[in-house]
Amino acid sequence: MPEPLIYTGGIAVTNGYLLSLPGGNLLVDAPEGVAAWLRQQNLKVDALFLTHQHFDHVLDAAEIQAEHGCRVYAFAPYSRDLTLEILFGAVMGSPFSVPPFTVDEVLEGKSQIDALGETWKLYHVPGHSPDSLCFHLPGQNLLFDGDVLLLDGVCRTDFPGCSLRQLLSGIEEKLFVLPDATRVFPGHGDDTTIGRERRENPCFH
């Protein structure tokens, strides 16, 4: 089973994952600082998966796309309505912006894709963000789920357009049906497994 390298950075302590696959290197999410980390490690990115477009997951997406020439996969085209930069700029009292990037493969409506020599299952699980997408590699029992299911919790649902009920029902219907041994790599915190969260996650009991 491939073991992803983990980078954690930015004000929201956001995880990015680099996974070596038969067709090249995959980066899942692009938190602030990951572009510099990739340069320091002398690592090349061949594809970038975005679990959603909240600013803390995409701040380095444009830089990585420009430096590596990689294809970017996301549920929806780049949108300032999805990045939350306007909302958080108001909260912090100063404006900031996410450098625009291009989504080469818009995944809305798709249930699977072929990328880097692997077939990925896709699960749209809104509630935290309307574009939240989970990327599942069934043969390796790997799930990159962004800000959907966390170790002993779920991600926040107090942003505009969020819904805790929608998030919980999406997890139960789409993720908790996966094998117990499926490893979950979330956008924040430590990794876990589907079996553990189905049994012990307090949000569902």
Side-chain angles (χ1 to χ4, degrees):
M1 180 186 300
E3 188 72 20
L5 296 175
I6 304 172
Y7 168 85
T8 305
I11 62 171
V13 194
T14 304
N15 295 329
Y17 298 97
L18 188 81
L19 188 65
S20 179
L21 295 168
N25 287 333
L26 167 70
L27 181 67
V28 181
D29 285 340
E32 186 177 21
V34 72
W37 175 77
L38 290 166
R39 286 194 294 270
Q40 292 166 358
Q41 304 291 323
N42 196 29
L43 293 168
K44 179 78 166 62
V45 171
D46 299 289
L48 172 60
F49 286 178
L50 299 177
T51 60
H52 61 304
Q53 292 186 46
H54 283 176
F55 72 92
D56 58 309
H57 291 258
V58 301
L59 269 169
D60 275 17
E63 186 175 354
I64 288 167
Q65 187 172 42
E67 286 190 17
H68 298 263
C70 59
R71 293 186 71 76
V72 176
Y73 299 72
F75 181 80
Y78 165 83
S79 168
R80 293 191 75 200
D81 292 331
L82 294 173
T83 62
L84 298 182
E85 61 198 84
I86 297 171
L87 172 65
F88 270 79
V91 169
M92 294 188 296
S94 60
F96 79 99
S97 63
V98 172
F101 52 89
T102 299
V103 176
D104 301 293
E105 297 280 350
V106 175
L107 303 177
E108 182 175 5
K110 296 185 179 181
S111 60
Q112 70 177 43
I113 55 168
D114 293 319
L116 300 182
E118 299 281 3
T119 298
W120 296 81
K121 299 288 188 182
L122 307 177
Y123 311 116
H124 179 218
V125 186
H128 168 73
S129 181
D131 64 325
S132 286
L133 194 63
C134 304
F135 296 88
H136 179 215
L137 195 54
Q140 305 290 348
N141 276 340
L142 299 179
L143 179 74
F144 297 97
D145 79 321
D147 291 358
V148 175
L149 179 65
L150 308 177
L151 174 66
D152 289 334
V154 298
C155 222
R156 57 190 295 180
T157 56
D158 57 344
F159 300 132
C162 289
S163 166
L164 179 60
R165 178 178 295 180
Q166 185 181 41
L167 180 60
L168 295 179
S169 64
I171 291 170
E172 290 183 316
E173 293 168 10
K174 298 178 182 179
L175 303 188
F176 280 175
V177 297
L178 300 178
D180 281 2
T182 303
R183 294 183 68 189
V184 180
F185 292 94
H188 304 274
D190 295 332
D191 63 282
T192 182
T193 66
I194 287 293
R196 184 194 187 283
E197 298 311 309
R198 190 192 299 112
R199 291 188 302 268
E200 301 181 27
N201 192 305
C203 296
F204 298 91
H205 301 285

